[in-house]
Amino acid sequence: MSTRNKPATLHDVAQLAGVSGMTVSRALSKPDMVSERTRQKVEQAVRELGYVPNLAASQLVTRRSGIIGALITTITNPILATTIEILQQGLARAGYHLLIGETRFSQEEEGKLLRAFLGRQLDGLILAYGYHAPETLELLQAADIPLIELWDLPEGDAPRTPVGQVVGFSNWSAGAAAGRHLVECGYRKPAFFGFDDERENLRFAGFRQAVVDGLGIEPLRLNTSPVPHIDDGVDVIQRFARGEVDCDGAFFTNDMPAIGALFTCQRLGIRVPDELGICGFGDLPIARVATPSLTSVRIPAERVANATVELLGQRIRGEGEWDALVDVGSELVARESTALRR
């Protein structure tokens, strides 16, 4: 800790580290452009002196803030949390800081946060949801910054028009994979449990098509809360036990409700997968260690994050295509909760 009366300057850091002022600037703003040894020397000098860079002055010179904004739907979603962690690490290596805001699936809140974020002169923006209010779309279209939307590829009968680049997967295909799996496992009354919004409606459309093609029946759909919660699954199984929900296979559009359903089945003596097959979405670590282990649709969070960092870097450097789409795909991981019925 520094005992100086005056704030340390960049020149002080350079002297203590034994490098030039330009090297210090480069080590702090673009650490991947200096050697590991030089970076460590500069960071040590920064710590000893308590140096705080003047970001406002730097921004006036470079016209860059070094900040990437990310508006995410919820910080409680482990898939998003993993994605954000990898994003933050990748952006840090490139010399950027990540500013995060949580919308809680509210378009009104998204608009408020977006205005606050754009006032900070971001170098780039990440949106973990592809569906926006008209006023928000106007703001996004007017913002002349690199912008990437995560998760939701444009699809369906009336596909949305992206406002930037997209890194995501097909919600329709993910839902269809779950429906097809339940049918192939021998379940004759598959049901869909998820929220009623644009992305989950696409998942239901794929699920429904797979069930109609395989069984010739309309699947049951029951809407749950907008922010996925373990209690959603508890409620479904309690209703199932009372005879209010008629199904033998259940697809939850998030692993947390699916885990809640799995645990409630155990508590109530409902045999999984014999009496009820359960499939989740997200393939969280708990899905692999639950008993029985949970079948789930896996989204490659690491691939999403790495592709996002790469595309942002290209756009900030003025490279690449403005309207690029990256489909990371999805994969159904079959486990014990939906074993083949005989």
Side-chain angles (χ1 to χ4, degrees), residues 182-216:
L182 290 176
V183 170
E184 290 173 352
C185 282
Y187 297 100
R188 291 299 172 256
K189 294 181 180 179
F192 177 98
F193 302 101
F195 184 56
D196 182 13
D197 69 0
E198 291 90 344
R199 68 161 45 140
E200 300 215 358
N201 288 341
L202 283 166
R203 288 180 204 170
F204 176 70
F207 181 85
R208 175 191 173 277
Q209 190 63 57
V211 173
V212 169
D213 289 347
L215 300 175

Side-chain angles (χ1 to χ4, degrees), residues 34-93:
V34 301
S35 69
E36 179 69 13
R37 183 171 179 273
T38 297
R39 183 182 62 78
Q40 290 178 357
K41 287 168 58 179
V42 170
E43 289 180 351
Q44 179 63 31
V46 166
R47 286 193 294 269
E48 288 186 22
L49 296 172
Y51 174 66
V52 178
N54 187 338
L55 297 180
S58 174
Q59 185 176 339
L60 287 174
V61 175
T62 65
R63 297 190 178 183
R64 297 249 177 106
S65 65
I67 297 175
I68 303 296
L71 294 182
I72 64 174
T73 49
T74 171
I75 60 175
T76 62
N77 186 319
I79 308 174
L80 268 176
T82 299
T83 304
I84 291 298
E85 181 181 15
I86 301 170
L87 271 173
Q88 190 159 356
Q89 293 169 355
L91 291 171
R93 287 193 295 270

